[in-house]
Amino acid sequence: MSDARGGRRIGEVAAAAGVTIRTLHHYESIGLLTPAGRTEAGYRIYDDDSVQRIYRICVLRRLGMSLDQIGRALDGDEWTLTESLQAHLDEVEERLAAAQRLRSGLVQLLADDPSHQLDLMEVLTDMTKLDRPVEQRIQILVYADLEAAMDFLVDVFDLGPGELTRDGDGVPVHGSVDAGDGQLWLHPESPEFRLASPRSLGAATATTAVMVNDVDAHHDRAKERGAEIVYAPVDQPYGYREYSARDPEGGLWSFMKSLADESS
């Protein structure tokens, strides 16, 4: 529903863009997208310029750019609306071409010999280009104390905003925090599913890696707020500057940035 002041409310814009309201809040918090204003009731509203910017953000995300790269591109006028539309059109045309090749290949196989391996390989290639069933990845971390873990991740590791869900007895059963363009879910320990915190296991079985704007500044903040630092910021041979730290239950984290981004 359009607002009386001529803008669109956040729920409508989020639904149209295929993102969550929380995502738009995050874009606002990092300065990537600013609402045109608010209604008298305090709801965010977005005007035509805001909608154009959201469209460009969505297109550049589809092209694989990070939020940092998108911010620099848009603020530097490197991607106008026309350029974004052209990039989007190029992607659509590529998918249409793949669909046409796939159709032609299937028709040919049915008309000839369906067991022809070379043609089947070509069909598989076009199927891969056309079918993209994976829409989003969410990493789930297991903790014995969800509330304490969330407080730490938001306050010390600067993730967020955090949201905690409780059952009817007030016991935390689910948590979520934003980490840049992704989201992390927090899950309680569960013997039924053999889910245990690193603290209960006595070892971490995985590492959570998060890209940050400034590795050294993030390290200094985390250290000042009591994080256990595994190693200080260092330039790695695989092209990233990173440091590693543990959360209160022994989970291993790496915070990093591409050295190519730092030199640009």
Side-chain angles (χ1 to χ4, degrees), residues 51-77:
V51 173
Q52 286 188 14
R53 188 172 176 92
I54 293 169
Y55 171 77
R56 286 186 283 169
I57 292 170
C58 291
V59 169
L60 297 181
R61 287 294 296 137
R62 288 170 64 90
L63 297 178
M65 293 177 65
S66 70
L67 294 182
D68 285 344
Q69 292 171 327
I70 291 172
R72 291 196 297 269
L74 297 184
D75 293 338
D77 293 327

PDB file of all heavy atoms in Angstrom, residues 51-77:
ATOM      1  N   VAL A  51      13.401   3.448  -4.372  1.00  0.00           N
ATOM      2  CA  VAL A  51      13.075   2.197  -5.063  1.00  0.00           C
ATOM      3  C   VAL A  51      14.087   1.920  -6.173  1.00  0.00           C
ATOM      4  O   VAL A  51      14.517   0.784  -6.375  1.00  0.00           O
ATOM      5  CB  VAL A  51      11.641   2.247  -5.626  1.00  0.00           C
ATOM      6  CG1 VAL A  51      11.353   1.027  -6.494  1.00  0.00           C
ATOM      7  CG2 VAL A  51      10.630   2.307  -4.477  1.00  0.00           C
ATOM      8  N   GLN A  52      14.484   2.972  -6.903  1.00  0.00           N
ATOM      9  CA  GLN A  52      15.514   2.795  -7.932  1.00  0.00           C
ATOM     10  C   GLN A  52      16.813   2.280  -7.322  1.00  0.00           C
ATOM     11  O   GLN A  52      17.481   1.401  -7.880  1.00  0.00           O
ATOM     12  CB  GLN A  52      15.770   4.118  -8.654  1.00  0.00           C
ATOM     13  CG  GLN A  52      14.682   4.525  -9.622  1.00  0.00           C
ATOM     14  CD  GLN A  52      15.066   5.736 -10.448  1.00  0.00           C
ATOM     15  OE1 GLN A  52      16.237   6.123 -10.485  1.00  0.00           O
ATOM     16  NE2 GLN A  52      14.098   6.338 -11.104  1.00  0.00           N
ATOM     17  N   ARG A  53      17.188   2.831  -6.168  1.00  0.00           N
ATOM     18  CA  ARG A  53      18.439   2.397  -5.520  1.00  0.00           C
ATOM     19  C   ARG A  53      18.325   0.946  -5.044  1.00  0.00           C
ATOM     20  O   ARG A  53      19.264   0.173  -5.190  1.00  0.00           O
ATOM     21  CB  ARG A  53      18.784   3.317  -4.352  1.00  0.00           C
ATOM     22  CG  ARG A  53      20.164   3.052  -3.756  1.00  0.00           C
ATOM     23  CD  ARG A  53      20.537   4.118  -2.747  1.00  0.00           C
ATOM     24  NE  ARG A  53      21.808   3.845  -2.094  1.00  0.00           N
ATOM     25  CZ  ARG A  53      22.984   4.290  -2.517  1.00  0.00           C
ATOM     26  NH1 ARG A  53      23.056   5.021  -3.613  1.00  0.00           N
ATOM     27  NH2 ARG A  53      24.102   3.997  -1.855  1.00  0.00           N
ATOM     28  N   ILE A  54      17.160   0.579  -4.496  1.00  0.00           N
ATOM     29  CA  ILE A  54      16.959  -0.810  -4.074  1.00  0.00           C
ATOM     30  C   ILE A  54      17.094  -1.746  -5.264  1.00  0.00           C
ATOM     31  O   ILE A  54      17.706  -2.819  -5.181  1.00  0.00           O
ATOM     32  CB  ILE A  54      15.577  -0.981  -3.410  1.00  0.00           C
ATOM     33  CG1 ILE A  54      15.521  -0.207  -2.084  1.00  0.00           C
ATOM     34  CG2 ILE A  54      15.262  -2.457  -3.164  1.00  0.00           C
ATOM     35  CD1 ILE A  54      14.130  -0.104  -1.509  1.00  0.00           C
ATOM     36  N   TYR A  55      16.519  -1.340  -6.395  1.00  0.00           N
ATOM     37  CA  TYR A  55      16.615  -2.163  -7.598  1.00  0.00           C
ATOM     38  C   TYR A  55      18.071  -2.369  -7.986  1.00  0.00           C
ATOM     39  O   TYR A  55      18.502  -3.488  -8.295  1.00  0.00           O
ATOM     40  CB  TYR A  55      15.848  -1.514  -8.748  1.00  0.00           C
ATOM     41  CG  TYR A  55      16.082  -2.193 -10.075  1.00  0.00           C
ATOM     42  CD1 TYR A  55      15.452  -3.393 -10.382  1.00  0.00           C
ATOM     43  CD2 TYR A  55      16.963  -1.641 -11.002  1.00  0.00           C
ATOM     44  CE1 TYR A  55      15.693  -4.026 -11.585  1.00  0.00           C
ATOM     45  CE2 TYR A  55      17.202  -2.271 -12.212  1.00  0.00           C
ATOM     46  CZ  TYR A  55      16.566  -3.462 -12.497  1.00  0.00           C
ATOM     47  OH  TYR A  55      16.815  -4.107 -13.680  1.00  0.00           O
ATOM     48  N   ARG A  56      18.848  -1.303  -7.980  1.00  0.00           N
ATOM     49  CA  ARG A  56      20.260  -1.416  -8.362  1.00  0.00           C
ATOM     50  C   ARG A  56      21.022  -2.299  -7.374  1.00  0.00           C
ATOM     51  O   ARG A  56      21.887  -3.081  -7.761  1.00  0.00           O
ATOM     52  CB  ARG A  56      20.887  -0.026  -8.451  1.00  0.00           C
ATOM     53  CG  ARG A  56      20.447   0.739  -9.703  1.00  0.00           C
ATOM     54  CD  ARG A  56      21.192   2.039  -9.852  1.00  0.00           C
ATOM     55  NE  ARG A  56      20.670   3.055  -8.939  1.00  0.00           N
ATOM     56  CZ  ARG A  56      21.261   4.214  -8.698  1.00  0.00           C
ATOM     57  NH1 ARG A  56      22.419   4.508  -9.262  1.00  0.00           N
ATOM     58  NH2 ARG A  56      20.720   5.077  -7.881  1.00  0.00           N
ATOM     59  N   ILE A  57      20.698  -2.162  -6.081  1.00  0.00           N
ATOM     60  CA  ILE A  57      21.336  -3.019  -5.079  1.00  0.00           C
ATOM     61  C   ILE A  57      21.040  -4.486  -5.376  1.00  0.00           C
ATOM     62  O   ILE A  57      21.934  -5.343  -5.362  1.00  0.00           O
ATOM     63  CB  ILE A  57      20.847  -2.656  -3.664  1.00  0.00           C
ATOM     64  CG1 ILE A  57      21.370  -1.270  -3.263  1.00  0.00           C
ATOM     65  CG2 ILE A  57      21.301  -3.703  -2.640  1.00  0.00           C
ATOM     66  CD1 ILE A  57      20.747  -0.729  -1.986  1.00  0.00           C
ATOM     67  N   CYS A  58      19.774  -4.787  -5.668  1.00  0.00           N
ATOM     68  CA  CYS A  58      19.381  -6.174  -5.927  1.00  0.00           C
ATOM     69  C   CYS A  58      20.077  -6.730  -7.175  1.00  0.00           C
ATOM     70  O   CYS A  58      20.519  -7.889  -7.191  1.00  0.00           O
ATOM     71  CB  CYS A  58      17.859  -6.271  -6.081  1.00  0.00           C
ATOM     72  SG  CYS A  58      16.939  -5.987  -4.557  1.00  0.00           S
ATOM     73  N   VAL A  59      20.165  -5.902  -8.213  1.00  0.00           N
ATOM     74  CA  VAL A  59      20.835  -6.354  -9.446  1.00  0.00           C
ATOM     75  C   VAL A  59      22.306  -6.648  -9.179  1.00  0.00           C
ATOM     76  O   VAL A  59      22.841  -7.692  -9.589  1.00  0.00           O
ATOM     77  CB  VAL A  59      20.695  -5.294 -10.559  1.00  0.00           C
ATOM     78  CG1 VAL A  59      21.611  -5.632 -11.736  1.00  0.00           C
ATOM     79  CG2 VAL A  59      19.254  -5.209 -11.033  1.00  0.00           C
ATOM     80  N   LEU A  60      22.987  -5.743  -8.471  1.00  0.00           N
ATOM     81  CA  LEU A  60      24.416  -5.928  -8.218  1.00  0.00           C
ATOM     82  C   LEU A  60      24.663  -7.106  -7.283  1.00  0.00           C
ATOM     83  O   LEU A  60      25.686  -7.785  -7.400  1.00  0.00           O
ATOM     84  CB  LEU A  60      25.017  -4.639  -7.644  1.00  0.00           C
ATOM     85  CG  LEU A  60      24.944  -3.423  -8.588  1.00  0.00           C
ATOM     86  CD1 LEU A  60      25.595  -2.205  -7.947  1.00  0.00           C
ATOM     87  CD2 LEU A  60      25.600  -3.724  -9.921  1.00  0.00           C
ATOM     88  N   ARG A  61      23.736  -7.369  -6.362  1.00  0.00           N
ATOM     89  CA  ARG A  61      23.877  -8.556  -5.511  1.00  0.00           C
ATOM     90  C   ARG A  61      23.780  -9.818  -6.362  1.00  0.00           C
ATOM     91  O   ARG A  61      24.509 -10.778  -6.149  1.00  0.00           O
ATOM     92  CB  ARG A  61      22.784  -8.584  -4.434  1.00  0.00           C
ATOM     93  CG  ARG A  61      22.964  -7.574  -3.325  1.00  0.00           C
ATOM     94  CD  ARG A  61      24.186  -7.838  -2.467  1.00  0.00           C
ATOM     95  NE  ARG A  61      24.084  -9.100  -1.761  1.00  0.00           N
ATOM     96  CZ  ARG A  61      25.071  -9.971  -1.636  1.00  0.00           C
ATOM     97  NH1 ARG A  61      26.245  -9.727  -2.196  1.00  0.00           N
ATOM     98  NH2 ARG A  61      24.907 -11.076  -0.949  1.00  0.00           N
ATOM     99  N   ARG A  62      22.852  -9.817  -7.339  1.00  0.00           N
ATOM    100  CA  ARG A  62      22.702 -10.972  -8.228  1.00  0.00           C
ATOM    101  C   ARG A  62      23.954 -11.194  -9.058  1.00  0.00           C
ATOM    102  O   ARG A  62      24.258 -12.325  -9.466  1.00  0.00           O
ATOM    103  CB  ARG A  62      21.502 -10.783  -9.154  1.00  0.00           C
ATOM    104  CG  ARG A  62      20.153 -10.904  -8.474  1.00  0.00           C
ATOM    105  CD  ARG A  62      19.040 -10.470  -9.415  1.00  0.00           C
ATOM    106  NE  ARG A  62      18.961 -11.342 -10.574  1.00  0.00           N
ATOM    107  CZ  ARG A  62      18.208 -12.443 -10.640  1.00  0.00           C
ATOM    108  NH1 ARG A  62      17.500 -12.806  -9.587  1.00  0.00           N
ATOM    109  NH2 ARG A  62      18.162 -13.167 -11.736  1.00  0.00           N
ATOM    110  N   LEU A  63      24.687 -10.125  -9.319  1.00  0.00           N
ATOM    111  CA  LEU A  63      25.915 -10.236 -10.097  1.00  0.00           C
ATOM    112  C   LEU A  63      27.112 -10.622  -9.234  1.00  0.00           C
ATOM    113  O   LEU A  63      28.239 -10.710  -9.724  1.00  0.00           O
ATOM    114  CB  LEU A  63      26.201  -8.915 -10.815  1.00  0.00           C
ATOM    115  CG  LEU A  63      25.152  -8.492 -11.854  1.00  0.00           C
ATOM    116  CD1 LEU A  63      25.522  -7.145 -12.464  1.00  0.00           C
ATOM    117  CD2 LEU A  63      25.016  -9.544 -12.946  1.00  0.00           C
ATOM    118  N   GLY A  64      26.882 -10.822  -7.928  1.00  0.00           N
ATOM    119  CA  GLY A  64      27.932 -11.339  -7.054  1.00  0.00           C
ATOM    120  C   GLY A  64      28.748 -10.296  -6.320  1.00  0.00           C
ATOM    121  O   GLY A  64      29.762 -10.633  -5.694  1.00  0.00           O
ATOM    122  N   MET A  65      28.336  -9.025  -6.352  1.00  0.00           N
ATOM    123  CA  MET A  65      29.103  -7.987  -5.671  1.00  0.00           C
ATOM    124  C   MET A  65      28.771  -7.974  -4.178  1.00  0.00           C
ATOM    125  O   MET A  65      27.641  -8.225  -3.767  1.00  0.00           O
ATOM    126  CB  MET A  65      28.807  -6.617  -6.291  1.00  0.00           C
ATOM    127  CG  MET A  65      29.301  -6.467  -7.715  1.00  0.00           C
ATOM    128  SD  MET A  65      28.876  -4.871  -8.481  1.00  0.00           S
ATOM    129  CE  MET A  65      29.816  -3.735  -7.442  1.00  0.00           C
ATOM    130  N   SER A  66      29.785  -7.670  -3.356  1.00  0.00           N
ATOM    131  CA  SER A  66      29.570  -7.554  -1.919  1.00  0.00           C
ATOM    132  C   SER A  66      28.864  -6.238  -1.617  1.00  0.00           C
ATOM    133  O   SER A  66      28.808  -5.328  -2.448  1.00  0.00           O
ATOM    134  CB  SER A  66      30.913  -7.599  -1.180  1.00  0.00           C
ATOM    135  OG  SER A  66      31.661  -6.422  -1.429  1.00  0.00           O
ATOM    136  N   LEU A  67      28.342  -6.119  -0.394  1.00  0.00           N
ATOM    137  CA  LEU A  67      27.668  -4.880  -0.022  1.00  0.00           C
ATOM    138  C   LEU A  67      28.642  -3.701  -0.030  1.00  0.00           C
ATOM    139  O   LEU A  67      28.266  -2.585  -0.409  1.00  0.00           O
ATOM    140  CB  LEU A  67      27.025  -5.035   1.364  1.00  0.00           C
ATOM    141  CG  LEU A  67      25.870  -6.044   1.445  1.00  0.00           C
ATOM    142  CD1 LEU A  67      25.300  -6.076   2.852  1.00  0.00           C
ATOM    143  CD2 LEU A  67      24.776  -5.723   0.443  1.00  0.00           C
ATOM    144  N   ASP A  68      29.884  -3.927   0.379  1.00  0.00           N
ATOM    145  CA  ASP A  68      30.890  -2.865   0.329  1.00  0.00           C
ATOM    146  C   ASP A  68      31.115  -2.401  -1.109  1.00  0.00           C
ATOM    147  O   ASP A  68      31.176  -1.205  -1.398  1.00  0.00           O
ATOM    148  CB  ASP A  68      32.219  -3.348   0.923  1.00  0.00           C
ATOM    149  CG  ASP A  68      32.179  -3.423   2.433  1.00  0.00           C
ATOM    150  OD1 ASP A  68      31.254  -2.824   3.029  1.00  0.00           O
ATOM    151  OD2 ASP A  68      33.054  -4.069   3.019  1.00  0.00           O
ATOM    152  N   GLN A  69      31.251  -3.352  -2.020  1.00  0.00           N
ATOM    153  CA  GLN A  69      31.473  -3.020  -3.422  1.00  0.00           C
ATOM    154  C   GLN A  69      30.264  -2.291  -4.011  1.00  0.00           C
ATOM    155  O   GLN A  69      30.412  -1.337  -4.773  1.00  0.00           O
ATOM    156  CB  GLN A  69      31.761  -4.293  -4.225  1.00  0.00           C
ATOM    157  CG  GLN A  69      33.087  -4.950  -3.890  1.00  0.00           C
ATOM    158  CD  GLN A  69      33.239  -6.313  -4.529  1.00  0.00           C
ATOM    159  OE1 GLN A  69      32.259  -7.044  -4.708  1.00  0.00           O
ATOM    160  NE2 GLN A  69      34.454  -6.673  -4.891  1.00  0.00           N
ATOM    161  N   ILE A  70      29.069  -2.731  -3.626  1.00  0.00           N
ATOM    162  CA  ILE A  70      27.857  -2.079  -4.116  1.00  0.00           C
ATOM    163  C   ILE A  70      27.789  -0.641  -3.630  1.00  0.00           C
ATOM    164  O   ILE A  70      27.468   0.275  -4.397  1.00  0.00           O
ATOM    165  CB  ILE A  70      26.605  -2.858  -3.662  1.00  0.00           C
ATOM    166  CG1 ILE A  70      26.540  -4.203  -4.381  1.00  0.00           C
ATOM    167  CG2 ILE A  70      25.330  -2.047  -3.935  1.00  0.00           C
ATOM    168  CD1 ILE A  70      25.445  -5.116  -3.869  1.00  0.00           C
ATOM    169  N   GLY A  71      28.106  -0.419  -2.355  1.00  0.00           N
ATOM    170  CA  GLY A  71      28.081   0.931  -1.813  1.00  0.00           C
ATOM    171  C   GLY A  71      29.034   1.849  -2.549  1.00  0.00           C
ATOM    172  O   GLY A  71      28.684   2.987  -2.904  1.00  0.00           O
ATOM    173  N   ARG A  72      30.258   1.348  -2.821  1.00  0.00           N
ATOM    174  CA  ARG A  72      31.238   2.172  -3.533  1.00  0.00           C
ATOM    175  C   ARG A  72      30.776   2.440  -4.969  1.00  0.00           C
ATOM    176  O   ARG A  72      30.947   3.539  -5.495  1.00  0.00           O
ATOM    177  CB  ARG A  72      32.601   1.487  -3.531  1.00  0.00           C
ATOM    178  CG  ARG A  72      33.270   1.422  -2.159  1.00  0.00           C
ATOM    179  CD  ARG A  72      34.759   1.101  -2.286  1.00  0.00           C
ATOM    180  NE  ARG A  72      35.003  -0.193  -2.877  1.00  0.00           N
ATOM    181  CZ  ARG A  72      35.125  -1.318  -2.180  1.00  0.00           C
ATOM    182  NH1 ARG A  72      35.009  -1.286  -0.862  1.00  0.00           N
ATOM    183  NH2 ARG A  72      35.380  -2.462  -2.777  1.00  0.00           N
ATOM    184  N   ALA A  73      30.189   1.424  -5.593  1.00  0.00           N
ATOM    185  CA  ALA A  73      29.740   1.587  -6.977  1.00  0.00           C
ATOM    186  C   ALA A  73      28.607   2.606  -7.080  1.00  0.00           C
ATOM    187  O   ALA A  73      28.618   3.476  -7.951  1.00  0.00           O
ATOM    188  CB  ALA A  73      29.282   0.240  -7.539  1.00  0.00           C
ATOM    189  N   LEU A  74      27.634   2.511  -6.195  1.00  0.00           N
ATOM    190  CA  LEU A  74      26.488   3.411  -6.267  1.00  0.00           C
ATOM    191  C   LEU A  74      26.851   4.829  -5.850  1.00  0.00           C
ATOM    192  O   LEU A  74      26.435   5.800  -6.481  1.00  0.00           O
ATOM    193  CB  LEU A  74      25.348   2.882  -5.394  1.00  0.00           C
ATOM    194  CG  LEU A  74      24.757   1.525  -5.800  1.00  0.00           C
ATOM    195  CD1 LEU A  74      23.576   1.184  -4.906  1.00  0.00           C
ATOM    196  CD2 LEU A  74      24.320   1.545  -7.261  1.00  0.00           C
ATOM    197  N   ASP A  75      27.633   4.958  -4.796  1.00  0.00           N
ATOM    198  CA  ASP A  75      28.004   6.292  -4.331  1.00  0.00           C
ATOM    199  C   ASP A  75      28.976   6.977  -5.286  1.00  0.00           C
ATOM    200  O   ASP A  75      29.058   8.207  -5.335  1.00  0.00           O
ATOM    201  CB  ASP A  75      28.610   6.224  -2.928  1.00  0.00           C
ATOM    202  CG  ASP A  75      27.583   5.791  -1.884  1.00  0.00           C
ATOM    203  OD1 ASP A  75      26.380   5.961  -2.156  1.00  0.00           O
ATOM    204  OD2 ASP A  75      27.978   5.287  -0.819  1.00  0.00           O
ATOM    205  N   GLY A  76      29.709   6.184  -6.043  1.00  0.00           N
ATOM    206  CA  GLY A  76      30.639   6.750  -7.011  1.00  0.00           C
ATOM    207  C   GLY A  76      30.028   6.899  -8.391  1.00  0.00           C
ATOM    208  O   GLY A  76      30.721   7.205  -9.344  1.00  0.00           O
ATOM    209  N   ASP A  77      28.719   6.650  -8.486  1.00  0.00           N
ATOM    210  CA  ASP A  77      28.002   6.773  -9.759  1.00  0.00           C
ATOM    211  C   ASP A  77      28.571   5.857 -10.831  1.00  0.00           C
ATOM    212  O   ASP A  77      28.517   6.157 -12.032  1.00  0.00           O
ATOM    213  CB  ASP A  77      28.025   8.220 -10.272  1.00  0.00           C
ATOM    214  CG  ASP A  77      27.230   9.153  -9.363  1.00  0.00           C
ATOM    215  OD1 ASP A  77      26.236   8.684  -8.798  1.00  0.00           O
ATOM    216  OD2 ASP A  77      27.612  10.321  -9.235  1.00  0.00           O
TER     217      ASP A  77
END
